[in-house]
Amino acid sequence: MTTTTESVPALELRDIRIELGSGVPVVDGVSLTIRKGEIVGLVGESGSGKTTTALSIFGLTGNALRLAGGEVVLAGQPLRDEAAFRRARGRVVSYVPQNPGAALNPSLRIGSAIDDVLSAGSADRSLRAHLLDCVGLPSDRSFVLRFPHQLSGGQQQRVCIAGAIASGPSLVVLDEPTTGLDVVTQARILRELERLRDREHVAMLYITHDLAVAAQIADTIAVMYAGELVERGPAPTVLRTPRHPYTRGLMASTPDHVRRRTLEVMQGIAVGVGGRPEGCSFAPRCPQVLETCVTEHPALLETSPGHTVRCPEWRRTPPMEWATLRLDAARDAPLGGAANRSRPVALEVRNLRAEYPGRRGNLTVVRDVSFTLEQSACLALVGESGSGKTTIARVIAGLHPIAAGEVLLEGEALASYASRRTVEQRRQIQIIFQNPAEALNPRASVGAAIARPAQLLRGLTRSEARAEVSRLLEAVRLPARFAARYPRELSGGECQRVAIARALAANPSVMVCDEITSALDVSVQAVVLDLLRDLRRRTGLSMIFITHDLGVVATVADEVLVLEQGTICEQGETGRVLMDPQHPYTRSLLAAAPSLSDSIAEWESVAAGRPLSSDVVMQGPP
Amino acid sequence: MATMITGTQIDADRSTAPVTRSIRHPFVRFLGRRLAAGVVTLWVVSVFIFVATNVLPGNVAEVVLGHNATPERIQALNVKMGYDHPMIQRYFTWIVGILHGDFGKSAVAVALSQVETSVSSTLVSPLLNSLILGGITALLLVPLTLLLGALAGIYARRSPDLAISTPALVFGGLPEFVTGTLLIFIFFSVLHLLPPTSGFSPGQSPLTDVGRLVLPVLTLLGVALGAGVRQVRAGMIETLQREYVQYARLNGIPERRVLFRYTLRNALAPSVQIIAQNMQYLFGGIIVVESVFDYPGIGQYIVNAVLARDTAKVEAAAIIIAAVYTLINIAADFVVVLLVPKLRTAVA
Amino acid sequence: MLVHRQARFGLLHDWGMRIGVLLFALVVFIAVFGGQLSSQSPYATVGIPGAAPGGGHLLGLDFEGRDVLARVLHGGVSTLALAASATVLVYALGISFGLLAGYSRSVIDPLLMRTVDVILSIPSLLLMLLFVTGLGGGRPVMVVAAAVVLFPGAARIVRSATLEVSTRGFVEAAVARGESTLATLWREVLPNIVPPIAADMGLRFSWSIILISSVNFLGLGIRPPEPDWGLLISENLVILPSNPLAVVAPAAMIGLMIIGVNLICDGIIRALSRGDR
C-alpha cells in the first residue's frame, strides 16, 4: 500500500489469544511488531502455536479455533471484523505455504494463477512478467502456460512467492517455505527472499522450526513455546546471548556441520494444548527452575534494548560457549582417520547396483556403490531425495533385491531377500525407518513389539523375552511400564525409541538407521542422537546412518559417503569431508546448508570489528 | 470446449512439431489405446457370458421343451441348435456371428418351429425402448448429480445439505423394485395421478405417451442419483479442504472464484468418474424397473429370456449391455483426461 | 490418541448410527423370529384374493387369498440368510485375493486386478442373471452368484488397504526379521486393515440383499409358493388396487433393513474419519 510510511509498522499483533471451543488457549498473549523491510523469524517446535499465530493475521483460525482476544493491526489499520480481514487478505498481507505442490491449484496454469492473485489485489496484470522476474523465474509464454505439476518444487515455491508479492503487500507470511525443499534450492530461495526485502522493502514473517535458517534470514527472532512468545529480539543479540533456557536449549540441540559438537539434551517433552501448567510453561523441563517458576506465570522482561525474555531468572541462563560444546574427546579419539584402520570389517558392500522396475525397462537407482563398515563405526550416507540412499539401506536389510554386486556380512555374501538369509544374518542386521507414526504396529503393545524379534531371532522363551523388554526399554530411556502401552499413546520421539529398542532386541551388530530423526523436532532429535551415541559407546554397535542433514552427519558419523543420483561422489572421514570437500557436489551441498554457528561467528566478528577470517569459519575437530 | 483449446496450446509449446499435427494426435492415440483395451475386456466378457450361460450342457433343450420333452425331441433340438458340437466350436460360431451382426437363433423359436428364429431381429425394438428410458434418465441424472452433490458439499452440515443428503441416503440405498412399488403406491393408489404400468402395444413408441415414462424414470433417478449425490458431496467436501483452497482464501481470491475456479473445477473430474460408475446402477436398474412397470425394453426381454432359458437371447442382450457400459466408461475416462491437466499432459 | 478412543465410544452417540442399529435390529428380529410369532399359516388360502385388511387379517389377503401378515413374517428369513451367507463368502474370497494381490506384488496382482475389471464391466444384476440362466435359480446358485458379483470390489478394497499398510515400517521390519508371509499378513497387516473393511462389509451386505431380493422379485430365484419379501412384492402387484398393503409391507421391510445397514455403515465411516484426525 502506498500510504504506508516508514514510521507505521507493517504488522502489529497486540496480545493475541486463540482458544479452542472449550476455552483452552492455544496461543496466548502474543504481541509482535514487524517494521517495513524487516524479516521476523518466528521459531518454535511443532505444536508451539506458530502457524496458528500466523493465521490469526488473516482472521482465519481454522475449524475448532477462535480468536478470543487481542488485535491485529496491519499497516496501521486495525482489523476488527471479517470484512476488514477479507479486504486485507491478498492486498495488505499475503501467504506463502509450506507445501507449494499442494497449495497451487492443479488445474490453473502458472500465468493464470498469478493473474488470479493480481486481479484479487486489483493490481495491473502487466506486472506478471516483473513479478516472475523478481523471484528469478522466466516469464516467456512457454513458462507461464505450464501447470504446477510441470515445475520443480523450487519453481513452485517461487511461483507462490511471486503470487504473494503480487499486490505489493505490507507483509508476507511465509510458513516453513523451504521445509520440503533440498538444501541447494532452500539456499536459493532464501537469497531471493533477502533480495526482495532489500529491493522492495517487503516485511516478512518467516515461520520455521530451524534455528539455522532463521539465523540466516531473519533480522529479528521470536521464539515460541507452548503458545507463548518466550524470547524476542534482534537475531544477533538473541542467538549470541540467548536468555531463555528454552532458546538456549534449542540452540544446543541443533546439529551443526561447521562446528562438530555433542548435542545437549533438553529433558522432558513439550506440553501439549491445554496441558499448560499454572506457572512457567517451560518449568517442568527447565534446568534452572526455581520454586516460584512453578507457581507464578512469568512476564516478558526487557534484558537489553529490543531484547525481551519471558524468564525472571534469565541472568542465570548459561552462555552458549561453542568451544565447550565441541565434540568430546572420549568419542573423538577412537574415531580418528588412520588410527583405526585395523578394526575388523562388520559389513562390506561391493559394486552394488539396485534397480526399480520402470515403465520402459528397469531404472537404476544405485550404481556401482562400494564401501566398508568397520566394527563399532558409524557411517553416514548423505544425499538429497532420489540419491539412492534409502535403497541402499533397504538392500542391506534384505528388503530390496541386489541387481549386481554383493553385500557381505562378516565376509559372507548375503542373499537378496531377508527370507533367504540365515536367522543369524537376520539377527545381526536391523533396520529402523523414517516415519515414527508407522514404525510400530498400532495393534500390538510396545512389549509385544519388542519381544517378537528377541523370540524369533534369539530363540528366547516368552518369559525371557519379557525380562528383556524391561531391559531394552531402560536402554532407550523409557520407563518399563511403557511395555503395556500402545503406539497411539506415544509421541513421535517415543515411537522412534521403541523402534530402536525393537531393533536392539535382536542384539544386532549392524544397525541401519534410515532418516530416523528427520520427522522429529530438533529437541527430540537431540535425545535420539544422544541415545544412539550412548548405545554405540556401550555396545560397540556398528551403524549406517542415512540422512539428508549435514549437521546430523557431523554429530553422529565417523565416516561419510556422499551420494549423487545413485553413485558415490565423495567418501571419507567425516571431519575431512566436511572441512575439505573435494567433489563439487559435496561443496555445493556444504555451501548451501545453513549453519547456526557460522551465522553467530559472523556476527561476533562484525561486533569485534574484524573481518571474517577463514580459520574461524572452518574451525572443526583436529 | 475451453479445455480442449487450452489443452492444445501446451502441446504446441512443448513440442517443435507443426502445431496442427500435434493438436489431436496424442488424444486420438490415447482413445485408440483405451478402445483397444475395451475390446480386449469385452472379448473376455464374451467368454465369461458364454461360459456362464452354458455351464450345464443339454439342460437348455430340456427346459425349453418343458412338458413336451422327449429324448428324441431333445436330441433333435440339440442338433438344430448346434448344442451337440463342442463348446469351443460353438463359442467361435457365436462370436463370429456377433461380429457379423448375427446373434444366433432363439432356442424357443426353434423348438416351437417358428418361421422367424433369428435373435437379431427381436432385439431392435426393446433396445430402442430401453435407450429412450435410459437416455432420458441419463440426461437428467448427470446435471442433477453434479448440481445437488455440489450444493450439498458446499453447504455441508447445514440445512440445504440435510434437505439433499437425507433423501439421497434413503433412496440411494433402496433397490429399484422397492422404490418403484412405493412410487406406484403413492402416485397410483393414493394420488390417482399416474398409471401403475408402462406397457405399450407392440410397435408403439414410448414417446407417444410420455406420462407412462414418469414413474420408471423417477425410480431409476432415485437410485442412481442418491448414490451419486452422496459421493459427489464427499468429493466436494474433500476438495474444499485442500491446501490450494485455503491458500487462495489467504491470498484474498474472492470467495466466488475460490468456489468455481479452485473447488468446483477440481472436483469435476472425480465426479465424472463417480457418475460413470453409477451408470452401473442405471444398467442393472433398468432390468428391474422394466419388470416393475412392465416396460417393453431390453430388461424385460432379458428377464423373459432367462425364464424361458432362451440362452441366445440372454447372451445377446448381455453382450450388448456390456458393450454400451464399456463405451460409457471409455468416454468418461476420456473426459477425465481432458479435465485433469496432469493426466492431459501425461497423455500428450 | 485420545480422539481415537472417543471415536470408539462415540459410535452410539451418533444419531444416524442409533437409528440405523434400531432399524436393522427390528427388521432382523422380524425376519428371524417372525415365523414363530405368526399364528397363521403363510400357505393357507383363507379368503378372497386381494381382500383389504379386516377380519383378523391385519394386512389383508394376497393374490391367492393367503394372509399377508403371515407371509411377511415368514418371508424375511430367506433373503436375510442368503445375503448373510453371500457376504461371508464375499469376504472369504475378497480377503484372500486382496491380501494376496496387495502383498505379493507378483503376477497375481495384475492378473487378479484384470479379472476384477472384467467382472466390474458387467452390471452386477446382469451378471447374477447370467448365472441363473446357466445354473438355475437355486439358493446355492444365488449365494455363489452374489459372491462372484460382489467379491471383486471387496478384493480391490482389501488390496489397496494392504498395499498401503505393507509399506509401513512395522511391516517392513517384520519382513526384514524374516517372519513368514502368513505370519506377517496375520499379525501385522490384517489387524490394521479391519477399519476400511468393516465399513465396506456393511455396504456389501446391503448390496447382497438388493441383488438377491431383486432376483427373487424377478421370479428367477425363490419359487412360489415360498414366502419371500422380494417375491411377495412382484406376485402381489396385480392386486395393488384392492390391497396395496400386500405390496407396501414387504417393500417397506426390505427398504428399512437396507436403510438401517446403510446408516450403520455411514456411522462407522464417520467414526473412522474422526479417529483419523
Side-chain angles (χ1 to χ4, degrees), chain C residues 113-148:
Chain C
M113 286 306 112
R114 291 295 83 75
T115 315
V116 169
D117 284 347
V118 167
I119 293 184
L120 289 181
S121 69
I122 313 174
S124 38
L125 186 62
L126 181 60
L127 204 57
M128 286 284 285
L129 296 188
L130 288 175
F131 278 104
V132 173
T133 313
L135 299 166
R139 287 167 199 239
V141 174
M142 278 200 281
V143 169
V144 171
V148 169

Side-chain angles (χ1 to χ4, degrees), chain A residues 68 136 184 191 293 350 389 463 592:
Chain A
V184 178
R191 268 204 305 280
C293 296
R350 272 192 208 148
K389 52 191 195 305
S463 58

Side-chain angles (χ1 to χ4, degrees), chain A residues 537-555:
Chain A
R537 196 157 46 188
R538 286 206 325 243
T539 62
L541 196 61
S542 327
M543 223 175 262
I544 293 180
F545 204 95
I546 286 141
T547 179
H548 65 279
D549 186 331
L550 291 167
V552 172
V553 173
T555 312

Side-chain angles (χ1 to χ4, degrees), chain A residues 394 397-399 418-419 426 430-431 433 438-443 449 452-453 456-457 488-490 502, chain C residues 1-2 4-5 8 105 167-173 175-179 183 187-189 191-192 195:
Chain A
R394 294 173 55 83
L399 294 170
S419 54
R426 276 184 264 142
Q430 289 293 310
I431 183 165
F433 301 95
E438 297 184 346
L440 305 173
N441 185 345
R443 306 271 160 178
R452 184 68 192 159
L456 184 79
L457 301 173
R488 66 169 176 274
E489 300 168 286
L490 308 182
R502 182 180 60 193
Chain C
M1 286 179 256
L2 263 174
H4 200 85
R5 215 178 282 167
R8 222 175 268 171
R105 296 174 212 167
T167 58
R168 295 194 191 164
F170 63 86
V171 181
E172 302 242 83
V175 176
R177 70 172 175 256
E179 300 270 9
R187 296 164 59 116
E188 316 285 341
V189 178
N192 290 297

Side-chain angles (χ1 to χ4, degrees), chain A residues 510-539:
Chain A
V510 175
M511 195 127 103
V512 182
C513 305
D514 184 6
E515 297 263 19
I516 63 169
T517 60
S518 58
L520 306 176
D521 275 322
V522 272
S523 67
V524 183
Q525 165 172 285
V527 172
V528 172
L529 293 181
D530 186 60
L531 171 71
L532 288 177
R533 193 176 63 99
D534 197 38
L535 282 173
R536 272 183 62 207
R537 196 157 46 188
R538 286 206 325 243
T539 62

Side-chain angles (χ1 to χ4, degrees), chain B residues 112-334:
Chain B
L112 296 176
S113 312
Q114 288 174 349
V115 189
E116 181 60 66
T117 57
S118 156
V119 169
S120 308
S121 61
T122 62
L123 280 165
V124 181
S125 158
L127 263 180
L128 269 176
N129 289 343
S130 287
L131 215 61
I132 291 169
L133 181 58
I136 294 175
T137 311
L139 278 180
L140 292 167
L141 178 70
V142 176
L144 278 177
T145 308
L146 289 175
L147 186 72
L148 294 177
L151 277 177
I154 292 167
Y155 292 100
R157 281 177 282 281
R158 283 180 274 167
S159 41
D161 174 29
L162 277 178
I164 296 168
S165 293
T166 314
L169 174 72
V170 173
F171 291 109
L174 293 184
E176 295 81 1
F177 63 91
V178 171
T179 323
T181 45
L182 291 178
L183 283 176
I184 293 178
F185 173 64
I186 295 168
F187 285 95
F188 169 72
S189 303
V190 180
L191 299 173
H192 307 290
L193 271 178
L194 293 163
T197 61
S198 308
F200 294 94
S201 43
Q204 185 193 359
S205 165
L207 291 173
T208 52
D209 188 358
V210 181
R212 295 184 170 226
L213 282 169
V214 173
L215 286 184
V217 167
L218 268 184
T219 309
L220 282 174
L221 263 186
V223 176
L225 199 56
V229 162
R230 277 154 51 84
Q231 286 166 291
V232 170
R233 170 184 179 272
M236 192 68 194
I237 290 174
E238 199 188 312
T239 314
L240 275 166
Q241 286 166 346
R242 287 290 165 89
E243 268 180 59
Y244 50 76
V245 174
Q246 156 104 338
Y247 171 71
R249 286 190 175 139
L250 284 174
N251 280 334
I253 311 277
E255 193 58 29
R256 263 177 67 92
R257 184 168 276 211
V258 170
L259 214 54
F260 282 94
R261 255 164 99 92
Y262 288 74
T263 313
L264 282 174
R265 185 156 168 180
N266 288 304
L268 193 56
S271 304
V272 168
Q273 273 164 330
I274 288 165
I275 291 173
Q277 278 163 20
N278 286 344
M279 290 285 170
Q280 152 111 319
Y281 295 106
L282 202 58
F283 277 78
I286 277 185
I287 298 176
V288 177
V289 164
E290 289 181 355
S291 272
V292 174
F293 295 98
D294 199 22
Y295 183 91
I298 197 78
Q300 217 178 34
Y301 179 92
I302 213 171
V303 171
N304 289 335
V306 175
L307 276 171
R309 290 290 189 282
D310 205 339
T311 316
K313 283 187 171 178
V314 178
E315 290 163 349
I319 194 92
I320 289 172
I321 291 178
V324 176
Y325 185 56
T326 307
L327 269 178
I328 288 178
N329 272 323
I330 292 174
D333 278 1
F334 189 61

